[in-house]
Amino acid sequence: MSTTVEKISSNKVKLSFDIDAAKFDEAMGKAYLKVRGQVSIPGFRKGHAPRKLIENMYGESIFYDEAFELVFDEVYGPAIDENKVEVVDRPQIDIEQIGSGKNLKFTCEVFVVPDVTLGEYKGVEVKKEHTLVTDEQVDEKVEQERRKQAAEVAVDDRPVAEGDTVNLDYAGSVDGVAFAGGTAEGQTLKIGSHTFIPGFEEQMIGMNVGEEKDLNVTFPEEYHAKELAGKAAVFHVKVNGITETQLPALDDDFAKDISEFDTLDEYKKDIRAKLEAQAAERDENTFTNAVVEKVMENATVEIPEPMIERQIDSMMRDFEYRLSAQGLKLADFMKYTGQDEKAFRAGYRDQAEKSVRAHLVISAVEKAEAFEATDEEIDAQIAKFAPQTGKTLEELKATLSDADREYFKADAIRDKAVKFLCDNAKTEA
């Protein structure tokens, strides 16, 4: 047997096979044993007809498909491994010669992981942001925590005001006739939330507990109930109760109640430090993404379509998994959003292509710089994952296969390559 490999493009190779006649004849014999049970020959029970009779009646080509598959399965995989061909799709097969007593000759054209021509990747110029945390942002964060501690307190010594929560009964009518959904008792309404018809909440301001009043409003032209859209209506309302939101005083006691700090100043300093750490992380991620984007722009790579489709498959599986966690099915989601599978996949295409391109380009950098990972660097990657498993680093390491460790090794090398690109980038002012 002989095999040759020819590169026909940056992302495709052609493998040519020349299989000895004896090997193919052996496969034909095995094919006969499998196929004979599928054909009928007069005078013979199914599966007992001699090979020669089957060939006379149907031609020996009746065994070709099965015989070819037997030979292909035996030679294709080893040829791929031996020649270190990284295939990304099924091969397109062309049989050039087949038959008893003849060498089996065929070719396979197959997409492979493409070549990447790196452009400039060391010293790319990228702007780096340095986000400053303002006093207003710190105060807003404090105010958010303050609102979480707010209490609703009953009010009986004043009328309804903006921001109050009112408990009310109401009955609505159009031209004196009540309409479906227009009557309720014990309903709560936050004044200023604009959840009711325009004008409704504003007219309640100034009403006292126990007071009744007619509110004149007009339904919006785009109202969901078409029979009420644009209609003038009257709502007879009664205020059952009023509550107001009371915020805790912004002082040291507040800081003690919600944190481990004794003073409000210490609490604010801690919030600032956390916001600054978050901003720095966002800035670093933005910078890293920009560096990788620039390196990708400078590189040339022709991505095989199957690699993009495979990435879309992966992204759809991930989305489907997240949907299932919410009790939804992908088919139902597409139905609700009015999409078919083709349109849904198309929505992922740009993101998938970008993801594949980034992977290929960074892999090319890894090879160009001959990066390797030390045991310590691999362990550091495993340590990041360990908390998700509820195991210690050593416990998790004891359960890992060689393939698992190779996965973490690849991650460590990838991180090293990305850090190398960022460390060597030139930051624009």
Side-chain angles (χ1 to χ4, degrees):
M1 180 189 85
S2 66
T3 307
T4 59
V5 179
E6 174 190 358
K7 194 159 196 172
I8 56 178
S9 72
S10 66
N11 62 14
K12 206 172 197 182
V13 300
K14 180 178 181 179
L15 293 93
S16 299
F17 294 88
D18 190 339
I19 310 297
D20 294 340
K23 190 173 190 66
F24 183 68
D25 287 345
E26 180 185 348
M28 286 284 282
K30 293 178 180 177
Y32 157 68
L33 295 176
K34 187 170 183 179
V35 173
R36 64 183 178 179
Q38 302 169 17
V39 297
S40 298
I41 300 292
F44 292 90
R45 284 184 294 130
K46 220 171 193 181
H48 289 75
R51 174 178 170 181
K52 196 64 179 174
L53 283 179
I54 295 175
E55 290 178 350
N56 287 340
M57 179 166 286
Y58 295 99
E60 71 169 23
S61 61
I62 193 172
F63 304 124
Y64 285 174
D65 286 349
E66 185 65 35
F68 178 82
E69 288 296 326
L70 291 169
V71 174
F72 179 84
D73 290 344
E74 185 176 340
V75 301
Y76 180 72
I80 292 297
D81 294 339
E82 182 181 341
N83 290 280
K84 296 181 173 56
V85 179
E86 297 180 85
V87 302
V88 298
D89 195 23
R90 294 180 178 179
Q92 182 180 349
I93 300 169
D94 180 24
I95 299 175
E96 298 176 341
Q97 179 175 287
I98 189 170
S100 296
K102 300 176 184 177
N103 281 12
L104 172 63
K105 297 180 180 181
F106 65 96
T107 62
C108 297
E109 289 189 9
V110 62
F111 283 111
V112 295
V113 174
D115 294 330
V116 177
T117 302
L118 289 171
E120 181 184 38
Y121 66 92
K122 288 184 280 192
V124 296
E125 292 190 13
V126 175
K127 185 176 181 180
K128 187 168 188 177
E129 301 290 344
H130 297 281
T131 302
L132 298 177
V133 174
T134 65
D135 291 342
E136 289 76 16
Q137 289 173 312
V138 174
D139 290 342
E140 174 57 27
K141 188 67 177 176
V142 172
E143 193 62 24
Q144 288 175 13
E145 295 302 319
R146 190 181 178 210
R147 287 196 289 268
K148 291 179 183 178
Q149 306 301 316
E152 289 293 323
V153 179
V155 175
D156 56 14
D157 60 350
R158 63 165 178 80
V160 174
E162 182 81 9
D164 286 345
T165 297
V166 179
N167 183 286
L168 72 155
D169 302 337
Y170 62 80
S173 61
V174 172
D175 296 330
V177 179
F179 55 87
T183 302
E185 294 182 352
Q187 184 82 1
T188 57
L189 172 62
K190 180 84 169 178
I191 303 300
S193 64
H194 306 294
T195 53
F196 273 36
I197 301 166
F200 189 105
E201 296 170 28
E202 291 83 349
Q203 294 180 64
M204 291 199 66
I205 293 175
M207 293 182 67
N208 291 292
V209 175
E211 183 178 348
E212 299 185 37
K213 182 179 179 180
D214 285 340
L215 310 181
N216 296 290
V217 297
T218 301
F219 283 97
E221 293 291 344
E222 301 300 322
Y223 196 64
H224 62 86
K226 299 302 181 184
E227 68 276 10
L228 297 175
K231 296 287 183 66
V234 177
F235 281 86
H236 184 78
V237 301
K238 177 184 177 183
V239 176
N240 300 319
I242 306 170
T243 61
E244 67 177 6
T245 303
Q246 289 189 355
L247 297 170
L250 203 56
D251 53 21
D252 292 343
D253 287 337
F254 167 73
K256 289 177 184 178
D257 288 341
I258 67 165
S259 72
E260 70 271 29
F261 300 101
D262 292 327
T263 68
L264 184 61
D265 283 345
E266 290 174 334
Y267 176 56
K268 284 187 173 184
K269 285 179 183 177
D270 180 66
I271 287 179
R272 178 178 290 277
K274 289 176 179 175
L275 290 176
E276 288 175 342
Q278 292 168 5
E281 183 178 0
R282 285 195 303 271
D283 289 343
E284 192 60 37
N285 289 338
T286 299
F287 175 69
T288 298
N289 291 336
V291 170
V292 173
E293 285 269 4
K294 195 74 172 179
V295 174
M296 286 165 56
E297 288 176 13
N298 294 339
T300 301
V301 55
E302 188 179 354
I303 304 174
E305 186 64 24
M307 291 190 78
I308 298 172
E309 290 297 322
R310 210 160 58 184
Q311 181 64 22
I312 293 174
D313 290 340
S314 176
M315 295 166 75
M316 287 188 65
R317 283 195 299 271
D318 181 64
F319 183 72
E320 188 169 13
Y321 174 77
R322 284 184 279 119
L323 279 180
S324 67
Q326 303 173 44
L328 295 173
K329 293 182 179 179
L330 181 58
D332 292 335
F333 177 84
M334 288 192 289
K335 180 181 176 182
Y336 299 149
T337 56
Q339 301 181 76
D340 57 20
E341 184 174 349
K342 183 178 179 180
F344 196 72
R345 291 180 68 86
Y348 276 114
R349 183 175 178 79
D350 288 346
Q351 186 182 349
E353 182 174 359
K354 184 176 180 180
S355 177
V356 173
R357 187 177 298 275
H359 172 79
L360 292 170
V361 170
I362 294 174
S363 292
V365 173
E366 294 170 10
K367 292 176 183 177
E369 296 296 327
F371 286 126
E372 285 296 337
T374 65
D375 288 341
E376 291 75 16
E377 289 167 338
I378 298 172
D379 284 351
Q381 291 292 330
I382 299 172
K384 292 179 186 177
F385 182 71
Q388 301 178 37
T389 67
K391 297 179 181 178
T392 65
L393 172 61
E394 293 306 319
E395 288 172 339
L396 180 57
K397 283 172 63 177
T399 67
L400 297 179
S401 65
D402 290 342
D404 292 332
R405 193 164 179 83
E406 283 299 312
Y407 173 84
F408 287 111
K409 178 181 178 181
D411 275 355
I413 293 174
R414 170 84 14 138
D415 284 355
K416 184 177 287 189
V418 172
K419 184 177 185 302
F420 171 83
L421 295 174
C422 292
D423 288 346
N424 282 276
K426 297 176 183 176
T427 56
E428 299 174 3

